[in-house]
Amino acid sequence: MAVTAVRLWRAALDQDGDPHRWLSHDERARAARYASPEEGRRFAVARAVLRSVLGEACGLAPEEVVLGTEDGGRPIIVPCDEHPPPDFNLSHSGRWALIAVAPPGFRVGVDLEWDGRDVDCLAMARTMFQPAEFRRLAVLDGVARRREFFRLWTAKEAYVKADGAGVAGLRAVLVDGATARSSAPSAGFPAALPVRWFAAAPGYPAALVVSGGGSGGPSGPLVPADRFLES
């Protein structure tokens, strides 16, 4: 089986430096709209590191990377020449961000969550999960329930982010073993894909889904490389 050359970067969001110098006008405006200055800065750092990673992948300066969206809102790189750009996905929660980059022809989805946040696991699962997933959580309690909740949530998020369905598609996804299956995938997108789980940092469970090339995703341990805001 071929191995998909997906690369992962982990970025610390509480760090010094000026992230805004690389951001577009829209990104600066989005950062300013956050209710908390701390969260606004974390968003700005995540986007700056994303631009650094994508600029390196495309041979461009970070501020030269042009980002757009598909019709459904999924972020993409707008090609600057005749060569197709790589695919990417960004997830950030709490103090960390994860960036996944895949070669042209692949679609990648990644999600990480801070498991220390206050979450009513059963209430969220009742509205966002499949009945079988809810029943799986209901028989657990305490740490075991939270661990299973975030295992399911990160897998479902990673799938819909690769698909482009967004949060609205979460309820259609069933995590069965190490596979995420959707009853309503987007046209041409696989209904079932393998999921890879890993710890992005202590207290930050994460999941990765890759579509394309017939590989089913990378093999071996998933260890994100640290990426910090460069001066």
Side-chain angles (χ1 to χ4, degrees):
M1 180 179 292
V3 177
T4 308
V6 174
R7 301 183 65 194
L8 287 169
W9 288 266
R10 178 182 63 178
L13 300 182
D14 293 335
Q15 55 177 291
D16 296 330
D18 176 19
H20 298 88
R21 68 188 187 279
W22 289 341
L23 303 190
S24 67
H25 175 77
D26 178 66
E27 287 168 325
R28 293 190 189 100
R30 288 175 63 186
R33 287 197 293 269
Y34 275 81
S36 161
E38 178 185 52
E39 290 306 308
R41 176 172 173 77
R42 285 175 172 175
F43 168 83
V45 171
R47 299 293 293 198
V49 177
L50 173 67
R51 285 182 166 277
S52 174
V53 167
L54 297 182
E56 185 178 279
C58 297
L60 299 170
E63 64 273 19
E64 293 175 338
V65 176
V66 180
L67 299 176
T69 59
E70 297 176 339
D71 290 342
R74 184 177 187 268
I76 57 172
I77 302 171
V78 177
C80 61
D81 54 31
E82 70 277 9
H83 301 293
D87 191 64
F88 75 94
N89 204 229
L90 165 69
S91 180
H92 55 92
S93 179
R95 299 184 295 107
W96 291 97
L98 268 180
I99 299 163
V101 179
F106 293 87
R107 290 174 72 91
V108 62
V110 69
D111 186 61
L112 89 160
E113 302 291 338
W114 175 44
D115 67 10
R117 61 192 176 96
D118 186 19
V119 176
D120 187 333
C121 298
L122 284 185
M124 290 190 68
R126 185 176 285 111
T127 59
M128 303 298 290
F129 284 13
Q130 293 273 338
E133 294 169 330
F134 176 81
R135 291 193 295 270
R136 205 181 309 167
L137 287 177
V139 299
L140 303 173
D141 56 20
V143 174
R145 178 181 288 172
R146 288 182 64 84
R147 183 180 297 118
E148 180 66 4
F149 172 83
F150 283 110
R151 191 183 78 89
L152 296 173
W153 184 272
T154 55
K156 291 157 79 75
E157 279 266 22
Y159 178 94
V160 299
K161 290 176 75 178
D163 180 14
V167 176
L170 281 176
R171 292 191 65 183
V173 178
L174 171 67
V175 180
D176 181 15
T179 302
R181 306 176 186 277
S182 175
S183 59
S186 298
F189 194 79
L193 285 171
V195 181
R196 296 293 304 278
W197 286 276
F198 58 102
Y204 286 81
L208 176 76
V209 167
V210 184
S211 171
S215 76
S219 63
L222 292 175
V223 180
D226 286 329
R227 184 58 169 258
F228 299 96
L229 191 61
E230 298 170 348
S231 61

